[in-house]
Amino acid sequence: MSREQDRTTRYKEGSLTLAGTVMLGTGVMIGAGIFALTGQMAQMTGVLFPLAFLAAAVIVSFSSYSYIKISNAWPSAGGIGMYLHKAYGNRLPTAFNALLMYFSMVIAQSFLARTFGSYTMQLFGGDESGRMVSILGVSLILAAFLINLLGNRMIQGVASFIGILKIGGILIFGLVGVWIADSLSVDFSNPGEAGTVGNFLGATALGILAFKGFTTITNSGSEVKDPKRNVGRAIIISIAACVVIYTLVGFAVASNLSLAEIIKTQDYSLAAAARPALGDYGVWFTVAIAMMATAGGILASIFAVSRMLAMLTEMKLVPHRHFGMPGSIQKHTLVYTVVLGLVLTAFFDLSRIAALGIVFYLIMDIAIHWGVLRYLREDVKANAWVPATAILLDLFVLGGFVWVKLNTDPFVIGVAVVTMIVIAVAEKIFLKRAAEDKQAEHEESQAHHH
């Protein structure tokens, strides 16, 4: 097989239906959002955490506008990588921001994997050491990897089946939790120190992680049937469905657990909320939903992020090594994605994984909106005020989140900054060498002609 043939991604146009695409999007969104973020957001902003979910939904609604406009103009299986390329060309901003998105999506997989482990261990009385949480998370990523090797039809079928079960299950949990709660009144009048503006913005930033799965849909691009119509529709349906589900479940948890209990059980707060309401049966039911939700989320995330890295490789914006592996480049990027996810799952805890993910994602998101505002507005027929508003909202919540973390866990902000510097420097060197090689080939070609 020649080098050029090796770089093909072999996508199947029209292989994903609208329903299948919605399930892929909600698979990532619901898995990350409800099961692991509720406790972390409550720790950051106290009883205001249900409102932080709603604030995140408003911000993501503005953000989704840019993605819908670009995907309508240029549907692509590379999604965000291609969007950045349209705005910034073969330059450092494209490669840097695309890799931030790549890492944020890999981080999302690890987040889901550890959430799967945390909930599963509730069936066995918890896991004080955290060792079994890591082992279960690693096992889930490996299982999702094997399913991804089987192709789109299998991925769509499994994700859709899991999606229907988990959405139905979460709705049942929320409705029953609200119905049997002693009181639905969550006291917003006295949020205490946690209710400061900075903390609320920080919690809202975390809440955005619960919705950012809509970008999984954009990465499916040209594989969706009638993409110019269905990609935007799938994004809108997914966000709307998650707003309803998150609001319902947020109030159910807040009505059945005290704030201290939510924070104490932050890695498995839904299971904890089910115990006083429904006893052990409620815990088993909630754990089963969490296991399905996180499994479906990882399946969808690996599917999308490996395609994005494959497109960046095709664009020659990132280095690529086969390491002796057979098959197409998309199979290789699938392996790289899984290996990186396994490392993060094994060695990072949930709160730090979430922090890295939101910093990387928001910086990339700002770059997308600036690209639309500065370079693509005429091409995609966008109203300037929407991406401009999205940039301001992103900056507000990113600032609030970084401020909170600098005061509580500065190490994770340090890791984020160092990682971004390494990515920028490595990409600068790679792109410079690639340009020099191209120039040398051009000069050699001209010398042969003469």
Side-chain angles (χ1 to χ4, degrees), residues 218-230:
T218 67
N219 281 18
S220 305
S222 58
E223 295 178 286
V224 179
K225 289 180 179 175
D226 191 8
K228 291 194 175 185
R229 184 170 176 232
N230 284 336

Side-chain angles (χ1 to χ4, degrees), residues 248 252 298 367 373 375 378:
L248 183 65
I298 285 181
L373 199 59
Y375 301 109
E378 298 297 327

Side-chain angles (χ1 to χ4, degrees), residues 240-262:
C242 287
V243 168
V244 173
I245 292 168
Y246 293 169
T247 303
L248 183 65
V249 174
F251 277 98
V253 171
S255 300
N256 285 287
L257 291 179
S258 68
L259 180 59
E261 289 170 327
I262 295 171

